[in-house]
Coordinates of all heavy atoms in Angstrom, one line a residue:
M192 N -47.5 116.8 134.9 CA -48.2 118.0 134.8 C -48.3 118.8 136.1 O -48.4 120.0 136.1 CB -49.6 117.7 134.3 CG -50.4 118.9 133.8 SD -49.6 119.5 132.3 CE -50.7 120.6 131.7
Q193 N -48.2 118.1 137.2 CA -48.2 118.7 138.5 C -47.0 119.5 138.7 O -47.0 120.6 139.4 CB -48.4 117.7 139.6 CG -49.7 117.0 139.5 CD -49.8 115.9 140.6 OE1 -48.8 115.6 141.3 NE2 -51.0 115.3 140.8
I194 N -45.8 119.1 138.2 CA -44.6 119.8 138.3 C -44.6 121.2 137.6 O -44.1 122.2 138.1 CB -43.4 119.0 137.9 CG1 -42.1 119.6 138.3 CG2 -43.4 118.9 136.4 CD1 -41.8 119.5 139.8
V195 N -45.4 121.3 136.5 CA -45.5 122.5 135.8 C -46.3 123.5 136.6 O -45.9 124.7 136.7 CB -46.2 122.3 134.4 CG1 -46.5 123.6 133.7 CG2 -45.3 121.4 133.5
M196 N -47.3 123.0 137.3 CA -48.1 123.9 138.2 C -47.2 124.5 139.3 O -47.5 125.5 139.9 CB -49.3 123.2 138.7 CG -50.3 122.8 137.7 SD -50.9 124.3 136.9 CE -52.2 123.6 135.9
F197 N -46.2 123.8 139.7 CA -45.3 124.2 140.7 C -44.2 125.1 140.2 O -43.8 126.2 140.7 CB -44.7 123.0 141.5 CG -43.6 123.4 142.5 CD1 -44.0 124.0 143.7 CD2 -42.3 123.2 142.2 CE1 -43.0 124.3 144.6 CE2 -41.3 123.5 143.1 CZ -41.7 124.1 144.3
L198 N -43.6 124.8 139.0 CA -42.5 125.5 138.5 C -42.9 126.8 137.9 O -42.0 127.8 137.9 CB -41.8 124.6 137.4 CG -41.0 123.4 137.9 CD1 -40.4 122.6 136.7 CD2 -39.9 123.8 138.9
V199 N -44.0 127.0 137.3 CA -44.4 128.3 136.7 C -44.5 129.4 137.8 O -43.9 130.5 137.6 CB -45.7 128.2 135.9 CG1 -46.3 129.5 135.5 CG2 -45.5 127.3 134.7
P200 N -45.1 129.2 138.9 CA -45.1 130.3 139.9 C -43.7 130.5 140.5 O -43.3 131.7 140.8 CB -46.0 129.8 141.0 CG -46.9 128.7 140.4 CD -46.1 128.1 139.3
V201 N -42.9 129.5 140.7 CA -41.5 129.6 141.2 C -40.7 130.5 140.2 O -40.0 131.4 140.5 CB -40.9 128.3 141.4 CG1 -39.4 128.4 141.7 CG2 -41.6 127.6 142.6
M202 N -40.9 130.2 138.9 CA -40.2 131.0 137.8 C -40.6 132.4 137.8 O -39.8 133.3 137.7 CB -40.4 130.3 136.5 CG -39.8 131.1 135.3 SD -40.5 131.0 133.7 CE -42.3 131.3 134.1
L203 N -41.9 132.7 138.0 CA -42.4 134.0 138.0 C -41.9 134.8 139.2 O -41.5 136.0 139.1 CB -43.9 134.1 138.0 CG -44.6 133.6 136.7 CD1 -46.1 133.5 136.8 CD2 -44.2 134.5 135.5
I204 N -41.8 134.1 140.4 CA -41.2 134.8 141.6 C -39.7 135.1 141.4 O -39.3 136.2 141.7 CB -41.4 133.8 142.8 CG1 -42.9 133.8 143.1 CG2 -40.6 134.4 144.0 CD1 -43.3 132.8 144.2
L205 N -39.0 134.2 140.8 CA -37.6 134.4 140.5 C -37.3 135.5 139.5 O -36.4 136.3 139.7 CB -36.9 133.1 140.1 CG -36.7 132.0 141.1 CD1 -36.1 130.8 140.5 CD2 -35.8 132.5 142.3
V206 N -38.1 135.6 138.5 CA -38.0 136.7 137.5 C -38.3 138.0 138.1 O -37.6 139.0 137.9 CB -38.9 136.4 136.3 CG1 -39.0 137.6 135.4 CG2 -38.3 135.2 135.5
T207 N -39.4 138.1 138.9 CA -39.7 139.3 139.6 C -38.6 139.7 140.6 O -38.3 140.9 140.6 CB -41.1 139.1 140.4 OG1 -42.1 138.6 139.5 CG2 -41.5 140.4 141.0
L208 N -38.1 138.8 141.3 CA -37.0 139.1 142.2 C -35.8 139.6 141.5 O -35.1 140.6 141.9 CB -36.6 137.8 143.0 CG -35.5 138.0 144.0 CD1 -35.9 138.9 145.2 CD2 -35.1 136.7 144.6
G209 N -35.4 139.0 140.3 CA -34.3 139.5 139.5 C -34.5 140.9 139.0 O -33.6 141.8 139.0
I210 N -35.7 141.2 138.5 CA -36.0 142.6 138.0 C -36.0 143.6 139.2 O -35.4 144.7 139.0 CB -37.4 142.6 137.4 CG1 -37.4 141.8 136.1 CG2 -37.9 144.0 137.1 CD1 -38.7 141.6 135.4
V211 N -36.5 143.2 140.3 CA -36.4 144.1 141.5 C -34.9 144.4 141.9 O -34.5 145.5 142.2 CB -37.2 143.6 142.7 CG1 -36.9 144.3 144.0 CG2 -38.7 143.6 142.4
L212 N -34.1 143.4 142.0 CA -32.7 143.5 142.3 C -32.0 144.3 141.3 O -31.1 145.2 141.6 CB -32.1 142.2 142.5 CG -32.5 141.4 143.8 CD1 -31.8 140.0 143.8 CD2 -32.1 142.2 145.0
F213 N -32.2 144.1 140.0 CA -31.6 144.9 139.0 C -32.0 146.4 139.0 O -31.1 147.3 138.9 CB -31.9 144.3 137.6 CG -31.3 145.1 136.5 CD1 -29.9 145.0 136.2 CD2 -32.1 145.9 135.7 CE1 -29.4 145.7 135.2 CE2 -31.5 146.6 134.6 CZ -30.1 146.5 134.4
S214 N -33.3 146.7 139.2 CA -33.7 148.1 139.3 C -33.1 148.7 140.6 O -32.8 149.9 140.6 CB -35.2 148.2 139.3 OG -35.8 147.5 140.5
W215 N -33.0 148.0 141.7 CA -32.3 148.5 142.9 C -30.9 148.9 142.6 O -30.4 149.9 143.1 CB -32.4 147.5 144.0 CG -31.7 147.9 145.2 CD1 -32.1 148.8 146.2 CD2 -30.4 147.5 145.6 NE1 -31.1 148.9 147.2 CE2 -30.1 148.1 146.8 CE3 -29.5 146.6 145.1 CZ2 -28.9 147.9 147.5 CZ3 -28.3 146.4 145.7 CH2 -28.0 147.0 146.9
A216 N -30.2 148.0 141.9 CA -28.7 148.3 141.6 C -28.6 149.5 140.7 O -27.7 150.3 140.9 CB -28.1 147.0 140.9
V217 N -29.5 149.6 139.7 CA -29.4 150.8 138.8 C -29.7 152.1 139.6 O -29.0 153.1 139.4 CB -30.4 150.6 137.6 CG1 -30.5 151.9 136.9 CG2 -29.9 149.5 136.7
K218 N -30.6 152.1 140.5 CA -31.0 153.3 141.3 C -29.9 153.6 142.2 O -29.7 154.8 142.6 CB -32.3 153.0 142.1 CG -33.5 153.1 141.2 CD -34.7 152.8 142.1 CE -36.0 152.7 141.2 NZ -37.1 152.4 142.0
N219 N -29.1 152.7 142.7 CA -28.0 153.0 143.7 C -26.7 153.2 143.0 O -25.6 153.3 143.7 CB -27.8 151.8 144.6 CG -28.9 151.8 145.7 OD1 -29.4 152.8 146.1 ND2 -29.4 150.6 146.1
G220 N -26.6 153.3 141.7 CA -25.4 153.8 141.0 C -24.4 152.7 140.7 O -23.3 153.0 140.4
Q221 N -24.8 151.4 140.7 CA -23.9 150.3 140.4 C -23.4 150.3 139.0 O -22.3 149.8 138.7 CB -24.5 149.0 140.8 CG -24.8 148.8 142.2 CD -23.5 148.7 143.0 OE1 -22.6 148.0 142.6 NE2 -23.5 149.3 144.2
Y222 N -24.2 150.9 138.1 CA -23.8 150.8 136.7 C -23.5 152.2 136.1 O -23.5 152.5 134.9 CB -25.0 150.2 135.8 CG -25.2 148.8 136.2 CD1 -26.3 148.4 137.0 CD2 -24.4 147.8 135.8 CE1 -26.5 147.1 137.3 CE2 -24.6 146.5 136.2 CZ -25.7 146.1 136.9 OH -25.9 144.8 137.3
D223 N -23.2 153.2 137.0 CA -22.9 154.6 136.5 C -21.6 154.6 135.8 O -21.5 155.2 134.7 CB -22.9 155.5 137.7 CG -24.3 155.8 138.2 OD1 -25.2 155.5 137.5 OD2 -24.4 156.4 139.3
D224 N -20.5 154.1 136.3 CA -19.2 154.2 135.7 C -18.6 152.8 135.5 O -18.0 152.2 136.4 CB -18.2 155.0 136.6 CG -16.9 155.2 136.0 OD1 -16.7 155.0 134.8 OD2 -16.0 155.6 136.8
L225 N -18.8 152.3 134.3 CA -18.3 150.9 134.1 C -16.9 150.8 133.7 O -16.2 149.8 133.9 CB -19.2 150.3 133.0 CG -20.7 150.1 133.3 CD1 -21.4 149.5 132.1 CD2 -20.9 149.2 134.5
E226 N -16.3 151.9 133.1 CA -14.9 151.8 132.7 C -13.9 152.4 133.7 O -12.7 152.1 133.6 CB -14.8 152.6 131.3 CG -15.6 151.9 130.2 CD -15.5 152.6 128.9 OE1 -14.7 153.6 128.8 OE2 -16.2 152.3 128.0
G227 N -14.4 153.2 134.6 CA -13.5 153.8 135.6 C -12.6 152.9 136.4 O -11.4 153.0 136.4
P228 N -13.2 151.9 137.0 CA -12.4 150.9 137.8 C -11.4 150.2 136.9 O -10.3 149.8 137.4 CB -13.4 150.0 138.4 CG -14.6 150.8 138.5 CD -14.6 151.7 137.3
A229 N -11.8 149.9 135.7 CA -10.9 149.1 134.8 C -9.6 150.0 134.4 O -8.5 149.4 134.3 CB -11.6 148.7 133.5
H230 N -9.8 151.3 134.3 CA -8.7 152.1 134.0 C -7.9 152.5 135.2 O -6.7 152.7 135.2 CB -9.2 153.4 133.3 CG -9.7 153.1 131.9 ND1 -8.9 152.9 130.8 CD2 -11.0 153.1 131.4 CE1 -9.7 152.7 129.8 NE2 -10.9 152.8 130.1
R231 N -8.6 152.6 136.3 CA -7.9 153.0 137.6 C -6.9 152.0 138.1 O -5.9 152.3 138.7 CB -9.0 153.2 138.7 CG -8.5 154.0 139.8 CD -9.6 154.4 140.8 NE -10.8 154.9 140.1 CZ -12.0 154.5 140.2 NH1 -12.3 153.4 140.9 NH2 -13.0 155.0 139.6
I232 N -7.1 150.7 137.8 CA -6.2 149.7 138.2 C -4.9 149.8 137.5 O -3.9 149.3 138.0 CB -6.9 148.3 138.0 CG1 -6.1 147.3 138.9 CG2 -6.9 147.9 136.6 CD1 -6.8 145.9 138.9
L233 N -4.9 150.4 136.3 CA -3.6 150.5 135.5 C -2.7 151.6 136.1 O -1.5 151.6 135.8 CB -4.0 150.8 134.1 CG -4.8 149.7 133.4 CD1 -5.2 150.1 132.0 CD2 -4.0 148.4 133.4
Y234 N -3.2 152.6 136.8 CA -2.4 153.6 137.3 C -1.6 153.2 138.5 O -2.2 152.6 139.5 CB -3.2 154.9 137.6 CG -4.0 155.4 136.5 CD1 -5.3 155.6 136.5 CD2 -3.3 155.8 135.3 CE1 -6.0 156.1 135.4 CE2 -3.9 156.3 134.2 CZ -5.3 156.4 134.2 OH -6.0 156.9 133.2
D235 N -0.3 153.4 138.5 CA 0.5 153.0 139.6 C 0.7 154.2 140.6 O 1.4 155.2 140.3 CB 1.9 152.6 139.1 CG 2.7 151.9 140.2 OD1 2.1 151.6 141.2 OD2 3.9 151.7 140.0
D236 N 0.1 154.2 141.7 CA 0.1 155.3 142.7 C 1.0 155.0 143.9 O 1.0 155.8 144.8 CB -1.3 155.7 143.1 CG -2.0 154.6 143.8 OD1 -1.6 153.4 143.7 OD2 -3.1 154.9 144.4
D237 N 1.7 153.9 143.9 CA 2.6 153.6 145.0 C 4.1 153.6 144.7 O 4.8 152.8 145.2 CB 2.1 152.2 145.6 CG 2.2 151.1 144.6 OD1 2.5 151.4 143.4 OD2 2.0 150.0 145.0
K238 N 4.5 154.5 143.8 CA 5.9 154.5 143.5 C 6.8 154.9 144.6 O 7.9 154.5 144.7 CB 6.1 155.5 142.3 CG 5.6 155.0 141.0 CD 6.0 156.0 139.9 CE 5.5 155.4 138.6 NZ 5.8 156.3 137.5
D239 N 6.2 155.7 145.6 CA 7.0 156.1 146.7 C 7.3 154.9 147.7 O 8.3 155.0 148.5 CB 6.3 157.2 147.5 CG 6.2 158.5 146.7 OD1 7.0 158.7 145.8 OD2 5.2 159.2 147.0
M240 N 6.6 153.9 147.6 CA 6.8 152.7 148.5 C 7.7 151.7 147.9 O 8.1 150.8 148.6 CB 5.4 152.1 148.8 CG 4.5 152.9 149.6 SD 3.0 152.1 150.1 CE 2.0 152.3 148.7
I241 N 8.1 151.8 146.7 CA 9.0 150.9 146.0 C 10.5 151.3 146.4 O 10.9 152.4 146.2 CB 8.9 150.9 144.5 CG1 7.4 150.6 144.1 CG2 9.8 150.0 143.8 CD1 7.1 150.7 142.7
P242 N 11.2 150.3 146.9 CA 12.7 150.6 147.2 C 13.4 151.1 146.0 O 13.1 150.6 144.9 CB 13.2 149.3 147.7 CG 12.0 148.5 148.1 CD 10.9 148.9 147.2
D243 N 14.4 151.9 146.2 CA 15.2 152.5 145.0 C 15.9 151.4 144.2 O 15.9 151.5 143.0 CB 16.2 153.5 145.5 CG 15.5 154.8 146.0 OD1 14.4 155.1 145.5 OD2 16.1 155.4 146.9
D244 N 16.4 150.3 144.9 CA 17.1 149.3 144.1 C 16.1 148.4 143.3 O 16.6 147.7 142.4 CB 18.0 148.5 145.0 CG 17.2 147.8 146.2 OD1 16.1 148.3 146.5 OD2 17.7 146.9 146.7
A245 N 14.8 148.4 143.6 CA 13.9 147.6 142.9 C 13.1 148.4 141.9 O 12.3 147.8 141.2 CB 12.9 147.0 143.9
R246 N 13.3 149.6 141.7 CA 12.5 150.5 140.8 C 13.0 150.2 139.4 O 14.2 149.9 139.1 CB 12.7 151.9 141.1 CG 12.1 152.3 142.4 CD 12.1 153.7 142.7 NE 11.2 154.4 141.7 CZ 10.6 155.5 142.0 NH1 10.8 156.0 143.2 NH2 9.8 156.1 141.2
T247 N 12.0 150.2 138.4 CA 12.3 149.9 137.0 C 12.2 151.2 136.2 O 12.6 151.2 135.0 CB 11.4 148.9 136.5 OG1 10.0 149.4 136.6 CG2 11.5 147.6 137.2
D248 N 11.7 152.3 136.8 CA 11.6 153.5 136.0 C 12.9 154.3 135.9 O 13.0 155.2 135.1 CB 10.5 154.4 136.5 CG 10.7 154.8 138.0 OD1 11.6 154.2 138.6 OD2 10.1 155.8 138.4
R249 N 13.9 154.0 136.6 CA 15.2 154.6 136.5 C 16.3 153.6 136.9 O 16.0 152.7 137.7 CB 15.3 155.9 137.4 CG 15.2 155.6 138.8 CD 15.5 156.9 139.6 NE 15.4 156.7 141.0 CZ 14.6 157.3 141.8 NH1 13.8 158.2 141.4 NH2 14.6 157.0 143.1
P250 N 17.5 153.8 136.4 CA 18.5 152.8 136.7 C 18.9 152.8 138.2 O 18.8 153.9 138.9 CB 19.7 153.3 135.9 CG 19.2 154.2 134.9 CD 17.9 154.7 135.4
A251 N 19.3 151.7 138.8 CA 19.6 151.6 140.2 C 20.9 152.4 140.5 O 21.1 152.8 141.6 CB 19.7 150.2 140.6
K252 N 21.8 152.6 139.5 CA 23.0 153.2 139.8 C 22.8 154.7 139.9 O 23.6 155.4 140.5 CB 24.0 153.0 138.6 CG 24.4 151.5 138.5 CD 25.3 151.3 137.3 CE 25.6 149.8 137.2 NZ 26.4 149.6 136.0
E253 N 21.7 155.3 139.4 CA 21.5 156.7 139.4 C 21.1 157.1 140.9 O 20.2 156.5 141.4 CB 20.4 157.1 138.5 CG 20.0 158.5 138.5 CD 18.9 158.8 137.5 OE1 18.8 158.2 136.5 OE2 18.0 159.6 137.9
A254 N 21.8 158.0 141.5 CA 21.6 158.4 142.8 C 20.6 159.5 142.9 O 20.7 160.5 142.1 CB 22.9 158.8 143.5
T255 N 19.7 159.5 143.8 CA 18.8 160.6 144.0 C 19.5 161.7 144.8 O 20.6 161.5 145.3 CB 17.5 160.2 144.7 OG1 17.9 159.7 146.0 CG2 16.8 159.1 144.0
S256 N 18.9 162.8 144.8 CA 19.5 163.9 145.6 C 19.7 163.6 147.0 O 20.7 164.0 147.7 CB 18.7 165.2 145.4 OG 17.4 165.0 145.8
E257 N 18.7 162.9 147.6 CA 18.8 162.5 149.0 C 20.0 161.5 149.2 O 20.7 161.6 150.2 CB 17.5 161.9 149.5 CG 16.4 162.9 149.5 CD 15.1 162.2 149.9 OE1 15.1 161.0 150.3 OE2 14.0 162.8 149.9
Q258 N 20.1 160.6 148.3 CA 21.2 159.6 148.4 C 22.5 160.3 148.3 O 23.5 160.0 149.0 CB 21.1 158.5 147.4 CG 19.9 157.6 147.6 CD 19.7 156.6 146.5 OE1 20.2 156.8 145.4 NE2 19.0 155.5 146.7
A259 N 22.6 161.3 147.4 CA 23.9 162.0 147.2 C 24.2 162.8 148.4 O 25.4 162.9 148.9 CB 23.8 162.9 146.0
A260 N 23.2 163.4 149.1 CA 23.4 164.2 150.3 C 23.9 163.2 151.4 O 24.8 163.6 152.2 CB 22.2 164.9 150.7
D261 N 23.3 162.1 151.5 CA 23.7 161.1 152.6 C 25.2 160.7 152.3 O 25.9 160.5 153.3 CB 22.8 159.9 152.5 CG 21.4 160.2 153.0 OD1 21.2 161.3 153.7 OD2 20.5 159.4 152.8
T262 N 25.5 160.4 151.1 CA 26.9 160.0 150.8 C 27.9 161.1 151.1 O 28.9 160.8 151.7 CB 27.0 159.7 149.3 OG1 26.0 158.7 149.0 CG2 28.4 159.1 149.0
N263 N 27.5 162.4 150.8 CA 28.4 163.5 151.2 C 28.6 163.6 152.7 O 29.7 163.9 153.2 CB 27.9 164.8 150.6 CG 28.0 164.8 149.0 OD1 28.8 164.0 148.5 ND2 27.2 165.6 148.4
E264 N 27.5 163.4 153.4 CA 27.6 163.5 154.9 C 28.4 162.4 155.4 O 29.2 162.6 156.4 CB 26.2 163.5 155.5 CG 25.3 164.7 155.2 CD 23.9 164.5 155.8 OE1 23.6 163.5 156.4 OE2 23.1 165.4 155.5
D265 N 28.3 161.2 154.9 CA 29.1 160.1 155.4 C 30.6 160.4 155.1 O 31.5 160.1 155.9 CB 28.7 158.8 154.7 CG 27.4 158.3 155.1 OD1 26.9 158.8 156.2 OD2 26.8 157.5 154.4
N266 N 30.9 160.9 153.9 CA 32.3 161.3 153.6 C 32.8 162.4 154.5 O 34.0 162.3 155.0 CB 32.4 161.7 152.1 CG 32.2 160.6 151.2 OD1 32.3 159.4 151.6 ND2 31.9 160.9 150.0
D267 N 32.0 163.3 154.9 CA 32.4 164.4 155.8 C 32.7 163.9 157.2 O 33.7 164.3 157.8 CB 31.4 165.5 155.9 CG 31.2 166.3 154.6 OD1 32.2 166.2 153.7 OD2 30.2 166.9 154.4
L268 N 31.9 162.9 157.6 CA 32.1 162.3 158.9 C 33.4 161.5 159.0 O 34.1 161.5 160.0 CB 30.9 161.4 159.3 CG 29.6 162.2 159.6 CD1 28.5 161.2 159.8 CD2 29.7 163.1 160.8
E269 N 33.7 160.8 157.9 CA 35.0 160.0 157.8 C 36.2 160.9 157.8 O 37.2 160.6 158.4 CB 34.9 159.1 156.6 CG 33.9 158.0 156.7 CD 33.9 157.2 155.4 OE1 34.7 157.4 154.5 OE2 33.0 156.3 155.4
E270 N 36.1 162.1 157.2 CA 37.2 163.0 157.2 C 37.5 163.6 158.5 O 38.6 164.0 158.9 CB 37.0 164.1 156.1 CG 37.0 163.6 154.7 CD 36.5 164.7 153.7 OE1 36.3 165.8 154.2 OE2 36.5 164.4 152.5
D271 N 36.5 163.8 159.3 CA 36.6 164.4 160.6 C 37.3 163.5 161.7 O 37.9 163.9 162.6 CB 35.3 164.9 161.2 CG 34.7 166.0 160.4 OD1 35.5 166.7 159.7 OD2 33.5 166.2 160.4
K272 N 37.2 162.2 161.4 CA 37.7 161.2 162.4 C 39.2 161.2 162.2 O 39.8 161.2 161.1 CB 37.1 159.8 162.1 CG 35.7 159.7 162.4 CD 35.2 158.3 162.1 CE 33.7 158.2 162.3 NZ 33.2 156.9 162.0
P273 N 39.9 161.1 163.3 CA 41.4 160.9 163.2 C 41.7 159.5 162.7 O 41.1 158.5 163.1 CB 41.9 161.2 164.6 CG 40.7 160.9 165.5 CD 39.5 161.2 164.7
E274 N 42.7 159.4 161.9 CA 43.2 158.2 161.4 C 44.0 157.4 162.4 O 44.9 158.0 163.1 CB 44.0 158.3 160.1 CG 43.1 158.9 159.0 CD 43.9 159.0 157.7 OE1 45.0 158.4 157.6 OE2 43.5 159.7 156.8
K275 N 43.8 156.1 162.5 CA 44.6 155.3 163.4 C 45.7 154.7 162.6 O 45.5 154.3 161.5 CB 43.7 154.2 164.0 CG 42.6 154.7 164.9 CD 41.8 153.5 165.5 CE 40.7 154.0 166.3 NZ 39.8 152.9 166.8
G276 N 46.8 154.6 163.3 CA 47.8 154.0 162.5 C 49.1 154.4 162.8 O 50.2 154.5 162.7

């Protein structure tokens, strides 16, 4: 019976602490947007950091305009060099 006299006040303190922490979280906006973070994780915003040969949204054989320009510049440089032989 003595343990009940100890546990009842401890339980009341813990319940009061839980209610205070919950009301503090609600006032600070912790529960304002529950679905936003779950949807935000699905959006891929780092496509620019993915190397061209590892991208899955377009075939690796397809050259971008920058790659095509680089290839044309390389070909022009090779044509300007005199051939050895």
Side-chain angles (χ1 to χ4, degrees):
M192 194 66 169
Q193 293 176 352
I194 193 73
V195 174
M196 294 299 188
F197 174 74
L198 289 178
V199 170
V201 169
M202 179 206 48
L203 292 175
I204 291 172
L205 288 176
V206 168
T207 305
L208 181 66
I210 292 172
V211 169
L212 288 176
F213 179 73
S214 64
W215 173 81
V217 170
K218 287 180 185 177
N219 285 326
Q221 293 292 319
Y222 297 104
D223 285 347
D224 184 17
L225 295 177
E226 294 180 8
H230 292 286
R231 197 174 308 125
I232 197 170
L233 299 175
Y234 298 125
D235 190 15
D236 59 348
D237 57 355
K238 286 185 179 181
D239 295 334
M240 293 188 277
I241 300 172
D243 288 333
D244 56 339
R246 293 188 69 154
T247 59
D248 59 343
R249 65 173 181 237
K252 295 177 183 177
E253 179 181 322
T255 62
S256 58
E257 292 177 7
Q258 290 174 340
D261 290 341
T262 305
N263 290 339
E264 289 176 8
D265 291 341
N266 290 341
D267 291 341
L268 292 175
E269 290 176 4
E270 291 174 2
D271 293 340
K272 294 179 183 179
E274 294 183 17
K275 294 180 182 178

